Amino acid sequence: MSSLHIHLTKVFLTSIFQLVIELKRVSYQYRLDDKRSVIALNDVSLRLKTGEFIAIIGSNGSGKTTLAKLLNALILPDKGEVWVDDLNTQDKNAQKLIRQKVGMIFQNPDTQIISTSVEREIAFGLENLNLPYDEMKIRVHRALKYFDLEKLASHPPHRLSGGEKQKVALASVISMQPQYLVLDEPTSLLDPLGKREVLSLIQMLSEEKKITVIHITQFPKEAITAKRVLVMHRGKIVLDDSPEEILKRKDELEKIGLEVPFPLKMIHPLKRRGWHFLGECLTVDDLVDQMVRNVKDVKTKLTYSPAEQKQHRMEESPPSVVEQPTQISMRQVSYLYDKKLPTQRKALDRISLQIKKGDFVGLIGPTGSGKSTLVQHLNGLLFPTSGEVWIDGENLSNCNVNTRKIRQKVGLVFQFPEMQLFEETVYNDIAFGPKNLGLSDEEIKRRVKESMSKVGLDFDQFASRSPFSLSGGEQRRAAIAGILALKPEILILDEPTCGLDGKGTREIKSLLMELNSEGVTIILISHNMDLIAELAKKIILLDHGRLLSFCDKEEFFRDINKIKAVGLELPQTVEFIWKLKGKGIEIEKQVFTEEKLIDLFEKPCPKA
């Protein structure tokens, strides 16, 4: 057969088999036991064309991850068919080729990384393709350069930051030259800098490599850069349109547990107050430009008289309360990982601070700043290399201290909930702590029911399920419930809203405010600066193991340069106010929620 004949044959076959992924009336259910199952996908039909950049959004349990796993034959449909180009995922002989065509990146890069160096990690997939050594060498070199990983080529991947690990996972998959790339919540565990890097890379891969990108996310604001957005709810695709059209449907999105981006939450109530908006308003910069135009066109009041300023300061100042005792004290605490080994690393550097009973403290800093290391010192999981940690007047390094009682008093919810779940049922997992307190069966059941209710897990629906059958968001709630059942006096949470949809996040916020009002001291670690700004009363800022700041929230957010210097984002309310200031519009009152921000803008009156 001539080369021309072969070329014409390829053209003919391509015209017949257009490169697409297609789901034909697909259903899938997870079987809990012989009698019960949970429907994850219900009669879904979908066609994804080559070269598209698609975002899939939906609340917890909507079926997003199940859909992702079906696309590269990690799981197979109970009903219907999934086709990748001309290959049926149910064909066992085709599954290896399908997984080459459809690369997949999971939420937690640690679950994908297995090699001892970045270079070997990228080469691992290529070795499984049986590529010649010279070809592998070329691809690894290109991937390192493209993802700016050349300086890290010999580094152990497990010692990299979250953003760097996710870049390694991307490089490993892209080096295999897939036609489709499925990303399941790739930014949810990253700090703001890592998140920006990964989102930028995803955009670049779509534009430069012409890869079909399927980006699954909880956050509608991350879907803005896609060309097409699918919205999932209860195992079905309920909306399919451009980002602009999808995000206009604020009420529908919020009804199914999603939150629209900050600008859209602002413009709807402002419109009701008489403010006018022209065109799309999807970013903070769009909103600022529209507000500036409004201020120029109307007579409105955004500054205050001296009497009003005094009133605002009084509103910001909390009523005088009885001085609370110091509950947590760290005195010149330093901590070394791998002490006296070649890999020795200082995680904490002479940290001194005091937290009073009933405080609500936000603990922030970039990835690797020492946040998780610090809080593990507060219940005796780690002990200082030097310095002292005191809880309620007891030095944790004292050999006579009852660490069991300390750990009952100081509840710690880790970043990865699956690390805390181990029993056969959700009930037994949550009941484990109370059982060890020697409580009666009746009291244990009461505490389990109460804690499940507080985190939004229905007792009848979830108590008898395996914790490992839950979604990531549901596992996080179960882990929190297990700590709440111990009724801790100090509650430490490491990224508690990671993996939760808008509804779940609101429930956790409400829960934390309720617990704090009851006198529970709370330390909240989060990269979500909007969450920190809304809930925390004081803020600790760490960077490279050093304490850069510990002060009241209002004071902290007056110094935006310090926040930006370490790569963190501003809360959106603060960013909006500062950007208005840059346009010559002064807003003198500090606010940290959309509701209070909207209240600053009175109904405008036409200029005379």
Side-chain angles (χ1 to χ4, degrees):
M1 185 181 293
S2 69
S3 59
L4 177 61
H5 192 181
I6 293 171
H7 173 71
L8 291 174
T9 301
K10 287 182 178 179
V11 171
F12 173 71
L13 289 173
T14 302
S15 66
I16 295 176
F17 302 115
Q18 184 185 7
L19 297 179
V20 294
I21 292 180
E22 189 167 12
L23 281 73
K24 300 180 179 179
R25 306 200 67 174
V26 169
S27 294
Y28 187 87
Q29 59 183 342
Y30 292 99
R31 290 166 180 82
L32 305 179
D33 52 40
D34 293 339
K35 297 180 180 179
R36 298 178 304 156
S37 61
V38 175
I39 296 174
L41 288 183
N42 187 8
D43 198 28
V44 171
S45 294
L46 175 65
R47 187 178 177 88
L48 306 175
K49 298 177 183 177
T50 184
E52 281 191 304
F53 184 1
I54 301 140
I56 302 178
I57 62 177
S59 57
N60 293 134
S62 60
K64 304 185 302 299
T65 297
T66 301
L67 176 62
K69 291 178 179 178
L70 284 163
L71 297 182
N72 73 344
L74 282 178
I75 58 176
L76 302 175
D78 294 323
K79 296 180 181 178
E81 298 176 340
V82 179
W83 290 81
V84 177
D85 301 338
D86 57 338
L87 304 173
N88 189 327
T89 61
Q90 305 243 31
D91 181 353
K92 291 185 178 180
N93 296 322
Q95 287 173 1
K96 183 177 179 180
L97 181 55
I98 287 170
R99 288 168 189 150
Q100 291 176 29
K101 287 174 173 281
V102 185
M104 190 160 181
I105 306 291
F106 294 98
Q107 181 182 47
N108 184 358
D110 287 320
T111 62
Q112 290 183 262
I113 291 174
I114 59 172
S115 300
T116 55
S117 73
V118 168
E119 193 172 40
R120 290 183 64 83
E121 182 66 30
I122 296 172
F124 179 79
L126 304 178
E127 291 171 343
N128 283 282
L129 295 179
N130 294 318
L131 293 181
Y133 175 78
D134 289 342
E135 174 67 14
M136 280 197 298
K137 191 173 180 180
I138 291 170
R139 290 200 193 185
V140 170
H141 174 72
R142 285 176 180 169
L144 289 168
K145 186 174 182 180
Y146 188 82
F147 289 95
D148 194 26
L149 293 169
E150 290 169 297
K151 293 180 180 178
L152 300 174
S154 60
H155 281 54
H158 68 278
R159 291 193 177 275
L160 302 180
S161 71
E164 290 167 340
K165 286 178 183 177
Q166 203 62 286
K167 286 169 71 173
V168 172
L170 275 168
S172 302
V173 170
I174 296 303
S175 66
M176 297 171 71
Q177 298 181 354
Q179 294 168 336
Y180 307 92
L181 180 62
V182 182
L183 303 111
D184 189 7
E185 302 278 4
T187 66
S188 63
L189 298 176
L190 304 183
D191 64 13
L193 178 60
K195 186 175 292 190
R196 289 193 294 270
E197 288 178 345
V198 169
L199 289 175
S200 175
L201 282 170
I202 294 170
Q203 182 81 12
M204 192 162 59
L205 288 169
S206 173
E207 294 173 355
E208 294 182 6
K209 299 289 187 181
K210 305 302 179 186
I211 294 172
T212 302
V213 173
I214 300 121
H215 179 197
I216 295 169
T217 175
Q218 295 281 2
F219 310 110
K221 67 180 180 181
E222 288 191 359
I224 291 172
T225 55
K227 301 300 181 186
R228 177 184 175 193
V229 177
L230 309 177
V231 181
M232 296 193 68
H233 182 56
R234 294 181 178 176
K236 288 183 174 291
I237 295 171
V238 294
L239 295 173
D240 181 353
D241 214 323
S242 67
E244 294 79 11
E245 291 302 316
I246 292 291
L247 295 176
K248 283 179 183 176
R249 305 171 83 155
K250 175 178 178 290
D251 292 341
E252 291 177 63
L253 294 177
E254 289 182 343
K255 188 176 181 180
I256 62 174
L258 296 175
E259 285 196 353
V260 297
F262 167 79
L264 293 174
K265 285 193 278 188
M266 288 288 294
I267 64 173
H268 288 274
L270 287 172
K271 281 181 178 179
R272 290 194 290 269
R273 291 187 173 209
W275 294 77
H276 300 283
F277 297 88
L278 301 174
E280 302 300 334
C281 194
L282 299 180
T283 68
V284 172
D285 287 332
D286 292 339
L287 180 60
V288 168
D289 290 341
Q290 295 272 13
M291 295 301 291
V292 170
R293 184 188 61 77
N294 270 272
V295 170
K296 288 179 178 178
D297 291 346
V298 301
K299 181 176 66 180
T300 188
K301 183 179 178 183
L302 295 174
T303 58
Y304 308 99
S305 68
E308 288 172 320
Q309 290 180 34
K310 183 178 179 181
Q311 177 63 30
H312 290 317
R313 284 194 294 270
M314 290 174 63
E315 291 173 1
E316 288 178 0
S317 301
S320 59
V321 294
V322 177
E323 182 73 11
Q324 293 291 340
T326 297
Q327 195 169 31
I328 298 169
S329 179
M330 302 186 78
R331 305 174 185 177
Q332 292 290 305
V333 171
S334 294
Y335 185 78
L336 298 174
Y337 282 109
D338 300 342
K339 186 179 179 181
K340 296 182 179 180
L341 295 175
T343 53
Q344 176 176 299
R345 177 172 63 88
K346 181 173 282 190
L348 297 178
D349 188 2
R350 293 167 295 173
I351 301 290
S352 292
L353 55 83
Q354 291 186 339
I355 296 173
K356 295 186 181 298
K357 181 174 175 58
D359 272 349
F360 197 133
V361 179
L363 176 52
I364 62 174
T367 299
S369 59
K371 302 184 297 296
S372 296
T373 302
L374 187 150
V375 297
Q376 288 180 64
H377 279 74
L378 302 184
N379 70 348
L381 289 178
L382 296 177
F383 292 92
T385 305
S386 62
E388 297 175 343
V389 177
W390 293 69
I391 302 293
D392 283 336
E394 293 189 272
N395 185 345
L396 299 196
S397 297
N398 189 325
C399 60
N400 295 321
V401 168
N402 187 332
T403 54
R404 181 181 176 185
K405 285 189 176 180
I406 292 293
R407 288 167 188 160
Q408 291 171 18
K409 181 181 293 187
V410 185
L412 175 56
V413 181
F414 290 102
Q415 185 174 17
F416 301 108
E418 60 272 17
M419 294 174 64
Q420 288 176 263
L421 304 173
F422 59 93
E423 285 279 8
E424 292 184 359
T425 67
V426 170
Y427 182 96
N428 288 342
D429 217 300
I430 298 171
F432 181 80
K435 283 180 181 177
N436 281 281
L437 297 179
L439 302 176
S440 66
D441 290 346
E442 184 179 349
E443 174 62 14
I444 290 170
K445 186 172 183 178
R446 188 189 68 79
R447 287 198 183 194
V448 171
K449 278 191 168 184
E450 181 182 317
S451 59
M452 288 183 70
S453 175
K454 283 185 173 181
V455 299
L457 289 178
D458 180 81
F459 183 84
D460 293 332
Q461 182 180 353
F462 289 97
S464 60
R465 283 181 60 176
S466 165
F468 305 105
S469 73
L470 307 182
S471 70
E474 290 164 347
Q475 284 185 335
R476 190 164 301 276
R477 296 183 198 190
I480 295 172
I483 297 298
L484 294 182
L486 291 168
K487 297 192 178 297
E489 297 174 30
I490 300 169
L491 180 60
I492 303 169
L493 305 104
D494 194 348
E495 296 286 358
T497 61
C498 177
L500 295 185
D501 56 28
K503 180 175 179 291
T505 299
R506 288 191 295 273
E507 289 173 350
I508 294 298
K509 284 197 293 189
S510 177
L511 169 63
L512 296 184
M513 288 189 288
E514 178 187 342
L515 290 170
N516 187 238
S517 69
E518 294 170 355
V520 178
T521 303
I522 294 178
I523 300 174
L524 171 63
I525 300 175
S526 183
H527 290 131
N528 184 338
M529 294 294 280
D530 295 303
L531 185 72
I532 291 288
E534 183 174 349
L535 295 181
K537 298 171 185 173
K538 297 178 181 177
I539 292 179
I540 295 171
L541 173 62
L542 295 182
D543 188 32
H544 292 96
R546 297 187 302 273
L547 179 64
L548 297 189
S549 181
F550 181 28
C551 59
D552 290 339
K553 171 174 64 180
E554 289 74 17
E555 180 184 347
F556 180 81
F557 284 115
R558 288 190 182 100
D559 187 358
I560 66 168
N561 292 326
K562 182 184 290 185
I563 301 168
K564 290 185 174 182
V566 295
L568 298 180
E569 294 177 334
L570 293 172
Q572 292 182 95
T573 54
V574 176
E575 181 186 8
F576 176 61
I577 289 171
W578 276 92
K579 286 190 172 182
L580 280 179
K581 184 178 181 180
K583 298 282 188 177
I585 300 173
E586 294 282 348
I587 297 179
E588 295 154 350
K589 186 178 179 183
Q590 279 189 306
V591 294
F592 302 106
T593 65
E594 290 98 0
E595 294 79 11
K596 289 185 178 180
L597 182 57
I598 289 163
D599 286 342
L600 296 181
F601 296 95
E602 299 177 357
K603 182 175 181 180
C605 304
K607 283 188 175 179

